[in-house]
């Protein structure tokens, strides 16, 4: 494996992370606009990108290990930074740029995902408050939580035993 193959692969990963960030931004728009059909489509698109990213990460690991071996680096925990440290010139500059792009894109994805998480959490809190309000309007039930019959307040006259 060559450094060029690794570089080309990392470029494809950058493209995938850009797609992921766009899907996450679309998800934010769908949540804010309460466009649930759009949200369903966006989540499907996001899952597809995440699957391709997972496959790309596996392929990157294999490429990285092969390039590391060709550079005399041994061991299981070889990182892109280790490979970059062994290179010089245009290859080093190009890989540093791709590494920087990947770091920025993954940080951006994490930030957008956090916004989406907080948005969904706020929506769920509103749903729970509404359910509590509606539950309070119904009044106490005949049966308690354990299934026991609750106290029934009888108003008016009592019936005589003989009636």
């Amino acid at each position: 494996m060559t450094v060029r193959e690794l570089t080309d692969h990392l470029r494809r990963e950058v493209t995938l992370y850009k797609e992921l960030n766009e899907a996450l931004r679309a998800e934010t728009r769908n949540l804010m606009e309460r466009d649930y059909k759009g949200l369903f489509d966006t989540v499907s698109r996001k899952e597809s990108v995440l699957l391709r990213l997972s496959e790309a990460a596996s392929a990157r690991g294999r490429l990285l290990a092969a390039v590391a071996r060709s550079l005399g680096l041994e061991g299981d925990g070889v990182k892109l930074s280790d490979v970059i440290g062994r290179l010089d010139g245009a290859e080093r500059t190009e890989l540093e740029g791709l590494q920087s792009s990947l770091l920025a894109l993954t940080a951006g994805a994490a930030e957008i995902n956090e916004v989406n998480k907080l948005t969904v959490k706020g929506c769920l809190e509103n749903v729970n408050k509404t359910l509590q309000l509606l539950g309070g309007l119904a009044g106490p039930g005949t049966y308690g939580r354990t299934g026991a019959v609750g106290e029934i307040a009888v108003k008016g006259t009592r019936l005589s035993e003989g009636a």
Side-chain angles (χ1 to χ4, degrees), residues 15-29 42 45-46 49 105 109 112:
T15 301
L16 285 172
Y17 274 106
K18 286 178 181 178
E19 283 183 48
L20 177 63
N21 281 343
E22 180 50 42
L24 288 168
R25 282 191 288 275
E27 186 177 51
T28 303
R29 283 190 304 275
T42 300
R45 189 173 96 209
K46 182 178 75 169
V49 173
L105 288 166
I112 298 167

Side-chain angles (χ1 to χ4, degrees), residues 2 16 18-19 22 26 33 43 46 49 52-53 56 63 68 81 90 95 102 109 115 117 126 133 142 145 154-155 159:
T2 65
L16 285 172
K18 286 178 181 178
E19 283 183 48
E22 180 50 42
E33 295 169 0
V43 168
K46 182 178 75 169
V49 173
R52 288 184 288 154
L53 274 170
L63 282 168
S81 300
L95 282 177
L102 285 169
V115 168
K117 181 179 107 178
N126 288 338
L133 175 67
T142 303
R145 290 184 183 190
V154 178
K155 294 185 180 178
L159 298 173

Side-chain angles (χ1 to χ4, degrees), residues 137-150:
L137 292 176
T142 303
Y143 297 100
R145 290 184 183 190
T146 62
V149 176

Side-chain angles (χ1 to χ4, degrees), residues 6-81:
L6 178 61
T7 302
D8 291 342
H9 180 81
L10 291 176
R11 272 197 207 95
R12 287 189 295 275
E13 278 194 55
V14 165
T15 301
L16 285 172
Y17 274 106
K18 286 178 181 178
E19 283 183 48
L20 177 63
N21 281 343
E22 180 50 42
L24 288 168
R25 282 191 288 275
E27 186 177 51
T28 303
R29 283 190 304 275
N30 295 145
L31 288 168
M32 296 298 185
E33 295 169 0
R34 292 187 171 102
D35 177 8
Y36 300 114
K37 182 190 178 320
L39 181 61
F40 180 79
D41 295 340
T42 300
V43 168
S44 295
R45 189 173 96 209
K46 182 178 75 169
E47 287 175 352
S48 170
V49 173
L50 287 171
L51 179 63
R52 288 184 288 154
L53 274 170
S54 176
E55 292 166 354
S58 295
R60 178 181 7 107
R62 290 189 300 273
L63 282 168
L64 192 56
V67 170
R69 279 191 304 276
S70 73
L71 294 172
L73 293 169
E74 296 296 327
D76 293 333
V78 176
K79 298 178 183 158
L80 183 57
S81 300

